[in-house]
Amino acid sequence: MSLGNGKRTANREKRRELQEQLTSETEVLKDKKLIREEVNHRIVSGIKTMPLEYDSIFNEEKARQNKDSDLLILLFQRMFFYRLNEKLSAFECDHTLHLSEQILTQMQFSRGKMNEVLEVLKKNGGICDCEIIYNVESQLIGK
């Protein structure tokens, strides 16, 4: 009889562990320090380790309507627009692409790739840092 109880207890513990893993994977980060770490991790490596509230505003169907969707989606996933929005909230836009260039450098893009990205952003209405948020990011989010 104790063998049966031991087996039930082990199964119960296994279920609890699986449930905790599922819960922790679907929970959105709320701790500001953890959010900052996740953003930095995505900027540099491009790998998503934890979900952020920011992820929920992405609309893939809307994004796919743009012929440059692959690049724009990559920028969204790598937190380019998030970081640009952060920087613009701290500084006033000087109507250049200076902040965008800084972020692309942080993302470790080569000069050639940076120029390609900037051209795509300009083509989609992002003629300066604030216009990238207003015109380009808006093509990827919402309904």
Side-chain angles (χ1 to χ4, degrees), residues 23 78 91 103-104 118:
T23 303
R78 297 265 320 258
F91 303 104
I103 297 166
L104 292 171
L118 293 172

Side-chain angles (χ1 to χ4, degrees), residues 15-107:
R15 279 194 306 273
R16 190 177 312 126
E17 285 176 28
L18 287 171
Q19 192 173 24
E20 286 174 4
Q21 286 175 354
L22 289 173
T23 303
S24 66
E25 287 176 12
T26 56
E27 268 185 40
V28 173
L29 289 179
K30 300 220 185 305
D31 182 295
K32 288 183 180 185
K33 184 180 177 186
L34 292 175
I35 292 171
R36 167 100 21 236
E37 288 174 11
E38 177 67 15
V39 169
N40 289 336
H41 184 73
R42 289 190 199 181
I43 287 252
V44 175
S45 70
I47 299 171
K48 177 181 173 180
T49 58
M50 292 292 292
L52 297 172
E53 191 174 329
Y54 182 73
D55 298 328
S56 66
I57 66 172
F58 179 70
N59 183 334
E60 185 165 2
E61 185 178 313
K62 187 176 178 183
R64 290 280 173 208
Q65 294 174 358
N66 188 308
K67 71 177 188 171
D68 299 310
S69 64
D70 290 341
L71 178 61
L72 297 177
I73 290 170
L74 173 75
L75 291 174
F76 187 89
Q77 291 170 340
R78 297 265 320 258
M79 306 303 286
F80 170 82
F81 299 105
Y82 181 92
R83 182 57 61 88
L84 182 57
N85 213 350
E86 267 187 337
K87 287 183 176 279
L88 283 171
S89 66
F91 303 104
E92 197 170 304
C93 184
D94 60 2
H95 303 294
T96 67
L97 295 168
H98 180 71
L99 297 174
S100 296
E101 289 173 351
Q102 282 181 354
I103 297 166
L104 292 171
T105 301
Q106 286 178 336
M107 295 171 79

